[in-house]
Amino acid sequence: MDLARSEVGGGRRRRSGNAARLGLMALPVAFFAVFFAYPVVAIVRRGLRADGAWHFGRFADVLADPGIRHVLWFTTWQALASTALTLLIALPGAYVLARFAFPGRQVLRAVVTVPFVLPTVVVGTAFLALVGHGGLLDELWGVRLDTTVWAILLAHIFFNYAVVVRTVGGLWAQLDPRQEEAARMLGASPLTAWRKVTLPALAPALAAAALMVFLFTFTSFGIVQILGGPAFSTLEVEIYRQTSEIFDLSTAAVLTVVQFLAVGAVLAVHAWTVRHRETSLKLVDSSLTARRPRGAGQWALLAGVLATVALLLLLPLAVLVQRSLTAPGFGYYRALSDADGGTFLVAPIDAVGTSLSYAAAATAIAVVIGSLAAAALTRRDSGRLVRGFDALLMLPLGVSAVTVGFGFLIALDEPPLDLRQSWILVPLAQALVGVPFVVRTMLPVLRAVDVRLREAAAVLGASPWRVWREVDLPMVRRALLVAAGFAFAVSLGEFGATVFIARPDNPTLPVAVARLLSRPGDLNYGQAMALSTILMVVCAVALLLLERLRGTDRSGEF
């Protein structure tokens, strides 16, 4: 009788848990259905349907084109190479920031994140100044790397270094170092102890970081367009060319579907891999794991990481600052306060306030949607529906931003979703990119929480909401702050979709920079560099404030 009652009670708890999970999924699913799936389907339908009939034969025609096949091949292999190189170069930085305590650690953490929020057009321009004709390398050693794949790979590493450092390093900082030390006391070498103990624990965060880097480089647009020249083109660049230059919406729609299917396949493999590797981890306060470097090897590692950051990250940023100061008396900065009546209806400096307000709204949306989604995905014994929901959350990172931007204009133009004249349209587009970062940042920590703590709270009568508030929240507060910081930074730098929907009287900083770069003349170029410098400073200040806020909370960290 007691066994039967226990089974009945367990069944009720499972049903209650499933109902709570579906309730958590409801708002994120509705958000993605209305503001992602609907616009994308609308633009694809516009391209593949004409005269009342679908033209699926366009797939065979487009994919038979040798030029398109070359684009597909280059898109895939450069993304794989960029991901591997980024992991190789950034993992030492993740370890240093996770395990070493040294003066300026918080500043370094903010510095490595700033490049990630820069518009891709600015990143491409900065590297062009370094490796292009008349650039720094050309002047010093006569070396040019522009219009080569190496310039693209270096720019991708620059752009995605922070993804690995903050995603992997955040979890690394919370792993109990005594587990690896115990393995070494039992005779394991440092490499064996790391490979057998630490690496499996880091696998979910490594997979999440690799996935995000791959998706960003697979859909790379501004960097490839500026540095690749006519020889290199990704799917994203080709979609833009077919849409805005050739006006062939049918070919653009086919390439959008191909990109969507490719990203879906990658997400499916990622979900399967992570599901078979995740385990409960013993997490500790990160303030207890970081210590001063000891020995020549650790000091050499710290020096190597600092040199990498200086050469790979700070040097391109220094080029931007130098270009913005070439006019006497801060002339380019003073020119930002003048509305020219051509490119902008307002002074370019007004883009700073617009970007901050839009990014704050986008962050609020992304944190709410992403937190609900991460809570729904916490359990590992999820069915196919929930695993499909996990993959859905990552799709905005892999679907063409050009397609999303045009889709917003086409789909959200009739009541009750006539939002083309509403200010909220830009934050909604930015939040689509921010939600995956919130989910991927919070999920490894949520899944690392011992499930027995939740079960014990449920047995004692706690509701799902109280279980979250009393068990999960105290352990993921820092992860939530990191997620909010990432969402804010991503929103500040979002360009692909925003460029199509930002109003002329309310441009964001990336849109303003791109418009200035598109106009000839030293004044416009200098103003673009000045706005880029302001964007860097704003992001650095925001990230430093985030680091200080995180430092006041010792409950856990991601």
Side-chain angles (χ1 to χ4, degrees):
M1 181 66 69
D2 292 338
L3 179 60
R5 289 177 179 175
S6 176
E7 291 178 350
V8 170
R12 288 176 178 174
R13 286 193 297 271
R14 284 192 294 272
R15 288 192 295 272
S16 176
N18 291 334
R21 177 184 296 167
L22 292 176
L24 291 170
M25 290 171 55
L27 184 58
V29 167
F31 177 79
F32 275 80
V34 174
F35 298 112
F36 175 69
Y38 178 46
V40 171
V41 170
I43 192 66
V44 172
R45 184 178 184 274
R46 178 72 64 92
L48 294 179
R49 185 177 175 86
D51 302 324
W54 290 93
H55 298 274
F56 293 111
R58 285 294 296 161
F59 280 90
D61 296 338
V62 171
L63 296 179
D65 186 337
I68 296 298
R69 290 203 299 268
H70 176 76
V71 168
L72 292 171
W73 173 82
F74 175 74
T75 301
T76 302
W77 90 258
Q78 66 82 24
L80 291 172
S82 297
T83 302
L85 289 173
T86 302
L87 288 173
L88 180 66
I89 293 175
L91 279 178
Y95 175 77
V96 164
L97 285 172
R99 295 301 198 196
F100 290 175
F102 53 91
R105 182 185 179 205
Q106 291 185 350
V107 174
L108 180 62
R109 193 191 301 272
V111 166
V112 301
T113 308
V114 170
F116 181 73
V117 304
L118 293 177
T120 54
V121 291
V122 175
V123 175
T125 303
F127 272 85
L128 193 62
L130 286 175
V131 302
H133 177 68
L136 183 61
L137 295 184
D138 191 14
E139 292 178 354
L140 295 178
W141 298 293
V143 176
R144 289 183 55 187
L145 298 177
D146 58 322
T147 68
T148 70
V149 71
W150 285 108
I152 296 172
L153 295 179
L154 284 173
H156 283 163
I157 297 170
F158 169 91
F159 194 73
N160 293 289
Y161 187 92
V163 175
V164 178
V165 168
R166 296 188 72 94
T167 304
V168 178
L171 182 58
W172 210 336
Q174 283 190 268
L175 295 180
D176 192 343
R178 291 173 296 183
Q179 298 179 19
E180 188 173 326
E181 292 170 358
R184 295 184 62 179
M185 291 180 63
L186 293 174
S189 66
L191 179 61
T192 301
W194 183 83
R195 183 169 55 86
K196 295 290 187 179
V197 178
T198 303
L199 183 59
L202 290 176
L206 280 169
L211 174 67
M212 287 189 284
V213 173
F214 181 85
L215 291 181
F216 277 120
T217 53
F218 188 81
T219 59
S220 184
F221 174 57
I223 290 173
V224 176
Q225 189 172 26
I226 293 175
L227 297 176
F232 302 106
S233 178
T234 59
L235 270 172
E236 188 82 357
V237 173
E238 189 63 23
I239 291 171
Y240 177 81
R241 190 175 73 89
Q242 294 289 339
T243 302
S244 62
E245 297 179 8
I246 303 178
F247 304 107
D248 188 351
L249 285 183
S250 63
T251 299
V254 169
L255 296 180
T256 296
V257 173
V258 170
Q259 183 169 294
F260 181 86
L261 294 176
V263 169
V266 171
L267 292 175
V269 172
H270 169 265
W272 182 87
T273 303
V274 172
R275 190 169 66 253
H276 285 77
R277 288 186 178 182
E278 286 180 332
T279 57
S280 294
L281 305 176
K282 182 180 180 181
L283 303 181
V284 298
D285 189 342
S286 61
S287 64
L288 303 178
T289 63
R291 58 191 181 188
R292 289 181 60 83
R294 295 181 298 184
Q298 291 189 355
W299 282 107
L301 177 61
L302 175 59
V305 169
L306 292 176
T308 300
V309 171
L311 293 175
L312 181 64
L313 305 185
L314 293 182
L315 187 58
L317 301 183
V319 170
L320 294 180
V321 176
Q322 185 271 334
R323 293 290 181 90
S324 73
L325 296 173
T326 53
F330 299 95
Y332 293 141
Y333 288 91
R334 293 203 311 269
L336 294 177
S337 60
D338 299 328
D340 59 13
T343 304
F344 304 103
L345 299 180
V346 296
I349 194 65
D350 291 349
V352 176
T354 300
S355 285
L356 291 175
S357 59
Y358 283 167
T363 300
I365 297 171
V367 167
V368 172
I369 299 297
S371 297
L372 291 174
L377 294 169
T378 298
R379 287 178 56 181
R380 301 183 192 88
D381 58 341
S382 304
R384 293 182 178 179
L385 177 63
V386 177
R387 292 198 295 270
F389 172 65
D390 188 9
L392 169 68
L393 298 172
M394 296 299 294
L395 285 179
L397 298 183
V399 173
S400 169
V402 175
T403 300
V404 174
F406 272 123
F408 266 47
L409 295 178
I410 291 174
L412 305 180
D413 63 342
E414 296 179 357
L417 292 175
D418 187 2
L419 300 177
R420 287 189 301 176
Q421 301 301 318
S422 174
W423 68 272
I424 197 64
L425 195 62
V426 173
L428 287 172
Q430 294 172 340
L432 280 173
V433 183
V435 168
F437 284 94
V438 175
V439 174
R440 297 267 76 87
T441 302
M442 295 187 63
L443 195 54
V445 177
L446 282 171
R447 285 182 170 173
V449 177
D450 193 336
V451 68
R452 291 172 297 182
L453 296 175
R454 299 191 185 99
E455 293 175 349
V459 168
L460 295 174
S463 64
W465 162 247
R466 188 172 182 183
V467 171
W468 158 258
R469 180 166 54 88
E470 299 291 343
V471 177
D472 293 286
L473 184 58
M475 303 190 70
V476 300
R477 278 192 295 232
R478 287 198 178 187
L480 186 62
L481 292 173
V482 172
F486 245 138
F488 183 80
V490 169
S491 299
L492 277 177
E494 204 287 322
F495 172 71
T498 305
V499 69
F500 296 103
I501 57 180
R503 294 169 54 179
D505 58 341
N506 283 304
T508 63
L509 275 169
V511 172
V513 169
R515 290 179 183 174
L516 288 167
L517 285 174
S518 67
R519 301 182 66 189
D522 292 339
L523 178 60
N524 291 313
Y525 187 81
Q527 286 180 291
M529 295 301 101
L531 275 182
S532 299
T533 302
I534 291 173
L535 177 57
M536 285 191 292
V537 172
V538 170
C539 293
V541 170
L543 292 169
L544 284 172
L545 290 176
L546 175 66
E547 293 298 326
R548 183 176 296 275
L549 182 61
R550 292 168 68 240
T552 63
D553 181 5
R554 299 298 179 186
S555 59
E557 178 179 13
F558 179 74

